[in-house]
Amino acid sequence: MNSTTSTTSFRTAGSLAAVLLTAGALSACVAPDVGDDSATPSASTPSAEAAPSTTPTPTRDPLVDAEEAQLPLPADEIADWAREAVPAPGSPGHQNTSSGWMSEHSAQQLTSTNTTLESGDYQLQLACRGEGTITATVTTLDGASAGEGTVCSNATIAFDATIPEQGLVTTLVHEGAPTIYALSVLRVE
């Protein structure tokens, strides 16, 4: 045998050995034997109960759909309404605006933490429309009161917040019928 043939044979044998070692290692990756109980499925025996992994399609709660139908305007129009109901981006001192809707089955409480607001004085404006009531509270990041908050029932209300250190937590709590809201935060100079 010449040196070229023996090198090729060694490479082929080495490759075959690597494949066999890999197959052996993979075959060791099965569930441990649990005894003679043949009803217990293992990784090497497919189970009739095992189904292929799929991403489930979320189903909407019919109660949420019914509540959405009670809103004073369609949910996809809330963001446009919010730009008119409270100060929007571009307004003097504007920091942020949030909007959406709340109901018994969609959201009864929403908490927003803004860690980028610098210490200082702020005015928040909360607009709500619908037959429900939304109560707003404001605190510092460590939970101390940052202002008196407000209760909104089919109105637009301004209230103040003062934060001694960076960050503000705003909590909205809903009661009653489905209600839309818009909340803006303005820096007071």
Side-chain angles (χ1 to χ4, degrees):
M1 188 185 264
N2 66 32
S3 67
T4 305
T5 305
S6 84
T7 303
T8 304
S9 297
F10 180 75
R11 286 185 189 154
T12 303
S15 297
L16 183 57
V19 168
L20 291 174
L21 285 173
T22 303
L26 290 175
S27 69
C29 295
V30 295
D33 188 6
V34 291
D36 293 327
D37 186 2
S38 60
T40 305
S42 70
S44 61
T45 59
S47 168
E49 298 171 349
S53 176
T54 59
T55 303
T57 303
T59 56
R60 283 197 43 130
D61 184 340
L63 296 172
V64 172
D65 289 338
E67 290 170 343
E68 183 176 348
Q70 296 174 38
L71 294 174
L73 58 101
D76 60 353
E77 295 177 14
I78 294 172
D80 292 335
W81 165 78
R83 285 192 272 294
E84 300 295 322
V86 296
S91 301
H94 183 269
Q95 301 298 304
N96 64 29
T97 297
S98 60
S99 63
W101 64 282
M102 300 176 77
S103 68
E104 179 182 355
H105 296 97
S106 69
Q108 289 183 317
Q109 179 172 320
L110 298 171
T111 299
S112 172
T113 302
N114 185 327
T115 59
T116 62
L117 288 180
E118 297 176 4
S119 63
D121 296 324
Y122 294 87
Q123 181 186 72
L124 289 81
Q125 290 192 26
L126 175 62
C128 60
R129 301 292 183 271
E131 299 304 315
T133 300
I134 296 176
T135 301
T137 58
V138 286
T139 63
T140 62
L141 293 179
D142 63 4
S145 176
E148 291 195 23
T150 194
V151 176
C152 183
S153 183
N154 209 23
T156 301
I157 300 173
F159 61 104
D160 297 324
T162 300
I163 50 177
E165 295 178 2
Q166 186 169 317
L168 179 69
V169 178
T170 306
T171 302
L172 303 178
V173 177
H174 169 266
E175 290 183 40
T179 304
I180 64 173
Y181 74 90
L183 178 70
S184 67
V185 179
L186 304 170
R187 174 84 186 214
V188 177
E189 296 297 329

